[in-house]
Amino acid sequence: MTSTYLLRDGLVIDTDPAPTVLGRADVLVQDGRIAAVGPDLASSAAAPLPADAEVIDASGRIVLPGFVDTHRHVWQAGIRAALPDGTLPAYVERVLGVLAPRHTADDVYAGTLAGALECLDSGVTTVVDWSHIQLRPEYAEASVSALRAAGARAVFGFCYFGDGDLDALAAETARVRDAYFDVPDGLLTMAMAALGPELTSPERALREWAVARDLGLPVTTHMGGHGAESAERGMAFLVDHGLMDQGAMYVHANHFTGDDLRRIAASGGTVSVTPGVEAALGLGPAATGRSLAAGVPTGLGADTVVSGPGDMFGVMGAAHVLERGRPDGAGMGFTTSDVLRMATIGGAEAAGLAGVTGSLAPGKQADLVVLRTDTPGMAAAHDPIAAVVRYAGTREVDTVLVAGRIVKRGGVLLGQDVPSLLASLESSAGRLTAA
């Protein structure tokens, strides 16, 4: 099996410390990692390429790190567009109250696999899966199995959604960690997807964060997006109970103040912004620029395909226009370069994976995207970074590698029976959304 690839003569964009167009160059991938980036590597390398090395012609293409989605409910692919014009209360009532309980383990598997493949198809190589479909023990196996079958890099955010027994929450979280994450996995890791402190009782919030600490799990939590008073109470809860030192990822920081964001930065915390869905569900202005100004590592997420698109291109476009459209020109300094950084290395920083992915530094995992430029919407684009952020789409995603493995090539997902999966998803969707 080929373990060496040379992506030759692409227009290469690296992202760390800031997005930079390196010009025409090669990217050498060996044993799943980036070995070198530079011009004419085949002839300038100290040692010849291995005999089984495959040269991939990237001329006329843009080569860059894979996108990192820091917040997505991957299981929801089977209920896509179920609430395009709703609000957050309507989402809670319809999606979590009605549609989620209708899911079987087979539905969870089909939705998660389809959602993960949607990520890969659009160049998202890493996703933080905030999985609050965990109603029964078998759903964890369905979720993890689907993520592994897709071949994506993922942080599985486990959110216990069973009964209110806090001992059961602790036991099930430990069981999932021990059953599926006891042995290190090159692609999958686990996090605590905590409902608290804003979306649950103080007792549950304390137990969630304590279990995360005991099990050595990072925390990702919805905080700051439920009004100013809720954001203030939630932050005070964390401070009063000494929880800020756990360095959580805060999703939907819309109503956090500048002081709150600086406190998050000082604590080692990060922020995930889902600008399109935050606007669609009425959560408030995205914290995109304010979070960056406070020095918080900040990433982007698609959140839910129930209410918005699932590709990073749509998310990047929403982030750019919503920030630049802030009143009185407050966001006009926000650039396409800022957006691309948030979608790559910024997202990796937010997810705790900056040493693994998000840029083209030699030694990192070879998570790469190759974009076509020979389409009507991309041809003659003068600024390659702007072309990626504002003009590209899923149809331009030609080739995707995760850990040096090609998962999409020539615009086609590899190693997947997509027609059968979509048939299963359609069947699942019809039953789940039936009146």
Side-chain angles (χ1 to χ4, degrees):
M1 180 179 177
T2 299
S3 62
T4 301
Y5 296 98
L6 181 70
L7 283 68
R8 185 179 63 191
D9 197 32
L11 181 60
V12 177
I13 300 175
D14 201 359
T15 53
D16 193 14
T20 303
V21 180
L22 302 182
R24 300 289 174 187
D26 302 340
V27 178
L28 180 62
V29 174
Q30 290 183 310
D31 298 323
R33 297 182 179 273
I34 297 170
V37 179
D40 199 19
L41 291 180
S43 60
S44 62
L49 294 178
D52 68 343
E54 179 180 348
V55 177
I56 299 174
D57 184 6
S59 58
R61 304 285 192 264
I62 294 173
V63 181
L64 73 159
F67 301 126
V68 179
D69 185 325
T70 55
H71 183 72
R72 182 187 296 236
H73 306 295
V74 181
W75 63 272
Q76 295 179 349
I79 50 176
R80 181 186 311 278
L83 197 71
D85 303 311
T87 61
L88 180 59
Y91 170 89
V92 172
E93 178 182 356
R94 173 68 174 158
V95 176
L96 301 184
V98 177
L99 300 180
R102 292 180 180 177
H103 279 65
T104 67
D106 288 342
D107 296 324
V108 173
Y109 182 88
T112 302
L113 179 56
L117 292 181
E118 178 181 12
C119 289
L120 295 175
D121 192 41
S122 63
V124 173
T125 54
T126 299
V127 61
V128 179
D129 178 13
W130 217 98
S131 188
H132 53 357
I133 190 61
Q134 301 305 317
L135 297 162
R136 298 179 180 86
E138 61 266 29
Y139 290 5
E141 180 178 0
S143 300
V144 173
S145 296
L147 292 172
R148 288 203 167 109
R153 187 180 305 283
V155 178
F156 177 60
F158 178 78
C159 180
Y160 179 76
F161 233 72
D163 59 37
D165 186 335
L166 298 184
D167 289 337
L169 180 154
E172 183 62 9
T173 305
R175 184 194 70 81
V176 170
R177 189 206 61 171
D178 294 345
Y180 307 114
F181 298 93
D182 186 46
V183 177
D185 187 305
L187 293 180
L188 297 188
T189 56
M190 182 178 172
M192 166 68 83
L195 289 176
E198 286 195 56
L199 299 180
T200 190
S201 68
E203 293 77 17
R204 169 159 175 155
L206 288 172
R207 192 62 174 272
E208 286 175 328
W209 289 64
V211 168
R213 190 190 298 272
D214 292 343
L215 297 179
L217 300 176
V219 174
T220 171
T221 181
H222 294 81
M223 282 189 66
H226 310 287
E229 291 184 5
S230 179
E232 182 179 0
R233 286 195 304 271
M235 183 60 67
F237 181 92
L238 296 183
V239 172
D240 291 346
H241 291 90
L243 301 177
M244 289 297 294
D245 65 341
Q246 290 187 232
M249 178 197 290
Y250 299 85
V251 182
H252 311 315
N254 309 68
H255 297 282
F256 281 142
T257 66
D259 286 342
D260 292 333
L261 292 169
R262 285 186 285 274
R263 178 175 281 140
I264 289 171
S267 74
T270 66
V271 161
S272 173
V273 179
T274 69
V277 167
E278 288 171 4
L281 295 182
L283 271 63
T288 321
R290 296 190 306 113
S291 181
L292 290 180
V296 185
T298 304
L300 299 174
D303 199 344
T304 172
V305 296
V306 168
S307 303
D311 64 278
M312 186 57 75
F313 302 104
V315 174
M316 289 191 294
H320 188 244
V321 299
L322 289 172
E323 180 64 24
R324 289 180 65 86
R326 287 172 59 193
D328 301 322
M332 290 302 290
F334 190 66
T335 68
T336 52
S337 181
D338 293 326
V339 178
L340 184 58
R341 191 181 194 284
M342 293 174 72
T344 52
I345 186 62
E349 291 169 349
L353 296 172
V356 176
T357 189
S359 75
L360 301 182
K364 282 194 176 183
Q365 294 283 304
D367 298 348
L368 303 169
V369 176
V370 181
L371 301 178
R372 295 176 57 184
T373 61
D374 59 346
T375 61
M378 285 284 280
H382 292 266
D383 183 332
I385 292 173
V388 173
V389 172
R390 295 306 314 274
Y391 300 91
T394 298
R395 68 171 300 197
E396 276 77 37
V397 178
D398 180 84
T399 301
V400 179
L401 288 81
V402 178
R405 174 176 168 263
I406 299 177
V407 297
K408 183 177 182 181
R409 188 170 204 162
V412 177
L413 290 168
L414 303 183
Q416 302 290 337
D417 187 351
V418 175
S420 293
L421 171 62
L422 296 184
S424 296
L425 191 69
E426 287 290 338
S427 176
S428 172
R431 183 176 51 76
L432 290 171
T433 57

